[in-house]
Tab-separated table of all heavy atoms in Angstrom:
chain	number	residue	atom	x	y	z
A	152	ASP	N	-4.707	13.253	17.970
A	152	ASP	CA	-3.604	13.202	18.904
A	152	ASP	C	-2.467	12.368	18.226
A	152	ASP	O	-2.603	11.166	18.086
A	152	ASP	CB	-4.001	12.559	20.224
A	152	ASP	CG	-2.984	12.729	21.232
A	152	ASP	OD1	-1.789	12.484	20.921
A	152	ASP	OD2	-3.346	12.949	22.463
A	153	PRO	N	-1.304	12.984	17.928
A	153	PRO	CA	-0.348	12.270	17.208
A	153	PRO	C	0.295	11.149	18.035
A	153	PRO	O	0.699	10.077	17.484
A	153	PRO	CB	0.765	13.302	16.927
A	153	PRO	CG	0.494	14.395	17.837
A	153	PRO	CD	-0.984	14.355	18.034
A	154	GLU	N	0.281	11.295	19.349
A	154	GLU	CA	0.833	10.178	20.159
A	154	GLU	C	-0.125	8.914	20.022
A	154	GLU	O	0.346	7.818	19.931
A	154	GLU	CB	0.948	10.598	21.607
A	154	GLU	CG	1.931	11.755	21.878
A	154	GLU	CD	2.025	12.175	23.325
A	154	GLU	OE1	0.975	12.341	23.881
A	154	GLU	OE2	3.117	12.439	23.745
A	155	LEU	N	-1.415	9.175	20.078
A	155	LEU	CA	-2.347	8.038	20.075
A	155	LEU	C	-2.352	7.381	18.619
A	155	LEU	O	-2.613	6.211	18.534
A	155	LEU	CB	-3.718	8.475	20.433
A	155	LEU	CG	-3.903	8.917	21.895
A	155	LEU	CD1	-5.306	9.473	22.143
A	155	LEU	CD2	-3.653	7.721	22.833
A	156	LEU	N	-2.198	8.244	17.587
A	156	LEU	CA	-2.262	7.654	16.239
A	156	LEU	C	-1.203	6.558	16.064
A	156	LEU	O	-1.323	5.627	15.204
A	156	LEU	CB	-2.048	8.849	15.312
A	156	LEU	CG	-3.242	9.741	15.073
A	156	LEU	CD1	-2.915	11.001	14.206
A	156	LEU	CD2	-4.499	8.860	14.585
A	157	PHE	N	-0.088	6.574	16.739
A	157	PHE	CA	0.898	5.545	16.609
A	157	PHE	C	0.470	4.162	16.956
A	157	PHE	O	0.933	3.163	16.458
A	157	PHE	CB	2.124	5.872	17.538
A	157	PHE	CG	3.153	6.821	16.857
A	157	PHE	CD1	3.367	8.122	17.393
A	157	PHE	CD2	3.779	6.484	15.699
A	157	PHE	CE1	4.241	8.926	16.722
A	157	PHE	CE2	4.696	7.338	14.986
A	157	PHE	CZ	4.968	8.535	15.621
A	158	TYR	N	-0.597	4.144	17.798
A	158	TYR	CA	-1.037	2.931	18.381
A	158	TYR	C	-2.229	2.288	17.688
A	158	TYR	O	-2.774	1.239	17.928
A	158	TYR	CB	-1.463	3.027	19.862
A	158	TYR	CG	-0.315	3.454	20.675
A	158	TYR	CD1	-0.166	4.804	20.921
A	158	TYR	CD2	0.661	2.564	21.168
A	158	TYR	CE1	0.961	5.283	21.682
A	158	TYR	CE2	1.779	3.013	21.910
A	158	TYR	CZ	1.844	4.345	22.193
A	158	TYR	OH	2.928	4.755	22.902
A	159	ARG	N	-2.730	2.940	16.541
A	159	ARG	CA	-3.880	2.519	15.904
A	159	ARG	C	-3.567	1.248	15.023
A	159	ARG	O	-2.469	0.977	14.651
A	159	ARG	CB	-4.554	3.646	15.007
A	159	ARG	CG	-3.837	3.856	13.662
A	159	ARG	CD	-4.240	5.077	13.061
A	159	ARG	NE	-3.619	5.313	11.702
A	159	ARG	CZ	-2.510	5.759	11.503
A	159	ARG	NH1	-1.637	6.160	12.496
A	159	ARG	NH2	-2.004	5.931	10.260
A	160	VAL	N	-4.728	0.541	14.626
A	160	VAL	CA	-4.579	-0.588	13.730
A	160	VAL	C	-5.650	-0.328	12.719
A	160	VAL	O	-6.851	-0.108	13.061
A	160	VAL	CB	-4.794	-1.873	14.378
A	160	VAL	CG1	-4.832	-3.083	13.340
A	160	VAL	CG2	-3.600	-2.158	15.368
A	161	PRO	N	-5.305	-0.334	11.335
A	161	PRO	CA	-3.985	-0.750	10.778
A	161	PRO	C	-2.995	0.396	10.951
A	161	PRO	O	-3.353	1.452	11.156
A	161	PRO	CB	-4.324	-0.945	9.280
A	161	PRO	CG	-5.527	-0.073	9.080
A	161	PRO	CD	-6.314	-0.101	10.302
A	162	ARG	N	-1.703	0.006	11.062
A	162	ARG	CA	-0.628	0.886	11.291
A	162	ARG	C	-0.365	1.719	10.146
A	162	ARG	O	-0.691	1.384	8.994
A	162	ARG	CB	0.636	0.112	11.651
A	162	ARG	CG	0.453	-0.900	12.747
A	162	ARG	CD	0.064	-0.334	14.022
A	162	ARG	NE	0.971	0.485	14.699
A	162	ARG	CZ	2.112	0.121	15.391
A	162	ARG	NH1	2.358	-1.189	15.387
A	162	ARG	NH2	2.910	0.902	15.809
A	163	ALA	N	0.212	2.913	10.243
A	163	ALA	CA	0.530	3.800	9.218
A	163	ALA	C	1.670	3.084	8.301
A	163	ALA	O	2.357	2.281	8.800
A	163	ALA	CB	1.155	5.058	9.747
A	164	PRO	N	1.663	3.449	6.988
A	164	PRO	CA	2.603	2.800	6.074
A	164	PRO	C	4.028	2.894	6.467
A	164	PRO	O	4.764	1.946	6.307
A	164	PRO	CB	2.287	3.557	4.701
A	164	PRO	CG	0.887	3.969	4.816
A	164	PRO	CD	0.752	4.278	6.243
A	165	ASP	N	4.472	4.044	7.018
A	165	ASP	CA	5.904	4.150	7.395
A	165	ASP	C	6.179	3.374	8.647
A	165	ASP	O	7.408	3.360	9.072
A	165	ASP	CB	6.301	5.660	7.532
A	165	ASP	CG	5.413	6.381	8.452
A	165	ASP	OD1	4.493	5.765	9.004
A	165	ASP	OD2	5.712	7.546	8.749
A	166	MET	N	5.210	2.776	9.375
A	166	MET	CA	5.511	1.847	10.397
A	166	MET	C	5.568	0.372	9.906
A	166	MET	O	5.726	-0.541	10.750
A	166	MET	CB	4.325	1.937	11.435
A	166	MET	CG	4.229	3.330	12.072
A	166	MET	SD	5.551	3.737	13.126
A	166	MET	CE	6.523	4.828	12.112
A	167	GLN	N	5.366	0.130	8.618
A	167	GLN	CA	5.368	-1.151	8.095
A	167	GLN	C	6.347	-1.397	6.932
A	167	GLN	O	6.053	-2.103	6.020
A	167	GLN	CB	3.944	-1.579	7.655
A	167	GLN	CG	2.884	-1.424	8.803
A	167	GLN	CD	1.503	-1.649	8.230
A	167	GLN	OE1	1.152	-2.790	8.005
A	167	GLN	NE2	0.624	-0.681	8.242
A	168	LEU	N	7.396	-0.631	6.853
A	168	LEU	CA	8.342	-0.694	5.853
A	168	LEU	C	8.991	-2.115	5.783
A	168	LEU	O	9.228	-2.743	6.843
A	168	LEU	CB	9.573	0.352	6.045
A	168	LEU	CG	9.053	1.816	5.852
A	168	LEU	CD1	10.275	2.685	6.234
A	168	LEU	CD2	8.738	2.005	4.351
A	169	ARG	N	9.314	-2.506	4.591
A	169	ARG	CA	9.980	-3.834	4.277
A	169	ARG	C	11.250	-3.502	3.481
A	169	ARG	O	11.351	-2.496	2.715
A	169	ARG	CB	9.068	-4.819	3.533
A	169	ARG	CG	7.850	-5.137	4.404
A	169	ARG	CD	6.965	-6.098	3.649
A	169	ARG	NE	5.740	-6.417	4.519
A	169	ARG	CZ	5.795	-7.434	5.411
A	169	ARG	NH1	6.850	-8.056	5.641
A	169	ARG	NH2	4.740	-7.624	6.104
A	170	PRO	N	12.298	-4.400	3.588
A	170	PRO	CA	13.484	-4.170	2.769
A	170	PRO	C	13.260	-3.820	1.346
A	170	PRO	O	13.919	-2.978	0.769
A	170	PRO	CB	14.248	-5.435	2.980
A	170	PRO	CG	13.758	-6.018	4.273
A	170	PRO	CD	12.346	-5.582	4.315
A	171	GLY	N	12.279	-4.434	0.659
A	171	GLY	CA	11.946	-4.206	-0.781
A	171	GLY	C	11.454	-2.794	-1.033
A	171	GLY	O	11.448	-2.267	-2.112
A	172	ASP	N	11.013	-2.117	0.103
A	172	ASP	CA	10.430	-0.727	-0.121
A	172	ASP	C	11.584	0.316	-0.327
A	172	ASP	O	11.252	1.424	-0.680
A	172	ASP	CB	9.589	-0.418	1.053
A	172	ASP	CG	8.323	-1.236	1.139
A	172	ASP	OD1	7.820	-1.710	0.064
A	172	ASP	OD2	7.921	-1.529	2.234
A	173	VAL	N	12.768	-0.019	0.050
A	173	VAL	CA	13.987	0.952	0.023
A	173	VAL	C	14.791	0.457	-1.132
A	173	VAL	O	15.423	-0.691	-1.104
A	173	VAL	CB	14.653	0.867	1.383
A	173	VAL	CG1	15.798	1.983	1.352
A	173	VAL	CG2	13.667	1.226	2.499
A	174	ASP	N	15.045	1.316	-2.074
A	174	ASP	CA	15.909	0.956	-3.234
A	174	ASP	C	17.384	1.055	-2.855
A	174	ASP	O	17.856	2.083	-2.300
A	174	ASP	CB	15.631	1.953	-4.349
A	174	ASP	CG	16.504	1.661	-5.592
A	174	ASP	OD1	16.299	0.675	-6.168
A	174	ASP	OD2	17.413	2.458	-5.907
A	175	ALA	N	18.039	-0.151	-3.023
A	175	ALA	CA	19.499	-0.202	-2.575
A	175	ALA	C	20.422	0.824	-3.310
A	175	ALA	O	21.303	1.430	-2.722
A	175	ALA	CB	20.089	-1.594	-2.766
A	176	GLY	N	20.120	1.059	-4.583
A	176	GLY	CA	20.855	1.920	-5.247
A	176	GLY	C	20.754	3.399	-4.830
A	176	GLY	O	21.764	4.115	-4.761
A	177	THR	N	19.571	3.757	-4.454
A	177	THR	CA	19.357	5.093	-3.917
A	177	THR	C	20.096	5.234	-2.584
A	177	THR	O	20.711	6.328	-2.345
A	177	THR	CB	17.878	5.364	-3.790
A	177	THR	OG1	17.125	5.188	-4.999
A	177	THR	CG2	17.505	6.735	-3.109
A	178	VAL	N	19.874	4.338	-1.749
A	178	VAL	CA	20.630	4.311	-0.493
A	178	VAL	C	22.186	4.470	-0.640
A	178	VAL	O	22.816	5.231	0.030
A	178	VAL	CB	20.376	3.138	0.409
A	178	VAL	CG1	21.182	3.075	1.630
A	178	VAL	CG2	18.909	3.016	0.717
A	179	ARG	N	22.745	3.845	-1.686
A	179	ARG	CA	24.080	3.827	-1.882
A	179	ARG	C	24.637	5.223	-2.456
A	179	ARG	O	25.656	5.604	-2.180
A	179	ARG	CB	24.548	2.772	-2.890
A	179	ARG	CG	26.043	2.637	-3.192
A	179	ARG	CD	26.274	1.557	-4.179
A	179	ARG	NE	25.675	1.867	-5.470
A	179	ARG	CZ	24.718	1.050	-5.981
A	179	ARG	NH1	24.198	-0.021	-5.222
A	179	ARG	NH2	24.089	1.309	-7.179
A	180	ASP	N	23.786	5.850	-3.289
A	180	ASP	CA	24.237	6.965	-4.061
A	180	ASP	C	23.949	8.326	-3.334
A	180	ASP	O	24.598	9.334	-3.694
A	180	ASP	CB	23.542	7.010	-5.470
A	180	ASP	CG	23.931	5.806	-6.275
A	180	ASP	OD1	25.031	5.307	-6.035
A	180	ASP	OD2	23.187	5.430	-7.140
A	181	VAL	N	22.963	8.384	-2.500
A	181	VAL	CA	22.675	9.652	-1.878
A	181	VAL	C	23.534	10.035	-0.698
A	181	VAL	O	24.038	9.010	-0.023
A	181	VAL	CB	21.170	9.751	-1.464
A	181	VAL	CG1	20.180	9.545	-2.638
A	181	VAL	CG2	20.855	8.667	-0.317
A	182	GLY	N	23.771	11.346	-0.466
A	182	GLY	CA	24.562	11.720	0.699
A	182	GLY	C	23.852	11.592	2.006
A	182	GLY	O	24.389	11.259	3.085
A	183	VAL	N	22.510	11.881	1.982
A	183	VAL	CA	21.695	11.952	3.161
A	183	VAL	C	20.406	11.141	2.820
A	183	VAL	O	19.809	11.511	1.732
A	183	VAL	CB	21.441	13.245	3.586
A	183	VAL	CG1	20.490	13.218	4.911
A	183	VAL	CG2	22.679	14.047	3.994
A	184	LEU	N	20.037	10.198	3.677
A	184	LEU	CA	18.723	9.506	3.416
A	184	LEU	C	17.828	9.724	4.656
A	184	LEU	O	18.175	9.383	5.798
A	184	LEU	CB	19.059	8.043	3.223
A	184	LEU	CG	17.731	7.165	3.011
A	184	LEU	CD1	17.105	7.368	1.653
A	184	LEU	CD2	18.142	5.597	3.061
A	185	TRP	N	16.644	10.205	4.381
A	185	TRP	CA	15.772	10.407	5.429
A	185	TRP	C	14.579	9.379	5.346
A	185	TRP	O	13.921	9.341	4.314
A	185	TRP	CB	15.161	11.801	5.388
A	185	TRP	CG	14.203	12.173	6.467
A	185	TRP	CD1	12.834	11.796	6.624
A	185	TRP	CD2	14.471	12.934	7.698
A	185	TRP	NE1	12.338	12.256	7.797
A	185	TRP	CE2	13.280	12.903	8.420
A	185	TRP	CE3	15.618	13.492	8.156
A	185	TRP	CZ2	13.212	13.526	9.698
A	185	TRP	CZ3	15.590	14.072	9.395
A	185	TRP	CH2	14.342	14.272	10.097
A	186	VAL	N	14.450	8.529	6.322
A	186	VAL	CA	13.381	7.515	6.340
A	186	VAL	C	12.558	7.707	7.563
A	186	VAL	O	13.031	7.706	8.656
A	186	VAL	CB	13.910	6.071	6.335
A	186	VAL	CG1	12.798	5.114	6.234
A	186	VAL	CG2	14.864	5.925	5.108
């Protein structure tokens, strides 16, 4: 059930992003960024 999976522990990796996981240069240069 995808709704319930959001509440599990440990959390999914994309629920635990940190600033260092996103490259600043990529964000600056791309026209569209999907996170």
Side-chain angles (χ1 to χ4, degrees):
D152 188 319
E154 294 178 322
L155 292 174
L156 286 171
F157 275 116
Y158 300 96
R159 75 189 189 279
V160 173
R162 312 296 296 281
D165 55 356
M166 297 292 102
Q167 303 175 68
L168 290 173
R169 297 180 179 278
D172 297 328
V173 182
D174 180 69
T177 300
V178 174
R179 183 181 61 250
D180 296 337
V181 298
V183 177
L184 178 68
W185 183 280
V186 180

